[in-house]
Amino acid sequence: MTDNDELWALWRRLKGYFPVWSLLPSSLYTPGAWGYVGVDFLSGFRKNPSTIQSFALLDGVDDATFDALSALANLNVRRQDQILRVVIIGYLTVPLSIVALLAELAGDSVMSFVRGNLNMVIISASTATMGPVMYLMSHWRSRQIVGVLDLIRIERGQAPFTALELREE
């Protein structure tokens, strides 16, 4: 296995600890979720099962591989941020602007259409809302991975940031 193969295998295992589908249920029971009260948002985060699994996975990984993994996670966050912006504009801002304009120009016709097609309107609105919600949850998880890697970096006593990690869009 080459170094790149090892890195990508590590990435696949790490991201597997942070499934998007589990974000909402885990927000009810994980120590990190309950830690969003008070001033200390880190102690509970450190006790999350995904954080503990990540620490175990990366125990013994050399600094260069860890830095490369961290760079991948940060690149992933920047890409997540880009797609989230596109989705918010494409799925929410543009459609809501069009509906608002139509309601202003032909309010009675729009309301008649909504009343006559209520099921279709509800399904369409729900579908249009679920896209951005899923991307937002994915974005949250990608940032959570970076946060866990930051905790690991701190506990390992490694330099806090590389130039690649500091880059913000």
Side-chain angles (χ1 to χ4, degrees), residues 11-99:
W11 171 249
R12 282 188 296 278
R13 288 187 60 201
L14 177 65
K15 71 181 178 67
Y17 300 146
F18 301 87
V20 173
W21 66 265
S22 72
L23 180 63
L24 293 179
S26 69
S27 68
L28 301 173
Y29 66 85
T30 60
W34 287 99
Y36 283 117
V37 177
V39 71
D40 180 8
F41 282 27
L42 295 177
S43 295
F45 184 53
R46 178 61 174 91
K47 295 175 187 172
N48 279 347
S50 57
T51 304
I52 293 167
Q53 290 171 314
S54 299
F55 268 82
L57 174 67
L58 299 175
D59 186 37
V61 170
D62 63 271
D63 290 354
T65 303
F66 180 84
D67 285 341
L69 183 66
S70 185
L72 281 177
N74 280 281
L75 175 59
N76 185 55
V77 164
R78 289 192 305 277
R79 302 235 342 125
Q80 290 273 347
D81 197 40
Q82 290 170 338
I83 192 67
L84 182 61
R85 290 176 189 177
V86 168
V87 166
I88 287 173
I89 291 169
Y91 278 73
L92 293 178
T93 306
V94 171
L96 288 176
S97 297
I98 290 171
V99 169

Side-chain angles (χ1 to χ4, degrees), residues 122-134:
I122 290 172
I123 290 170
S124 297
S126 298
T127 302
T129 301
M130 287 311 295
V133 167
M134 291 303 294

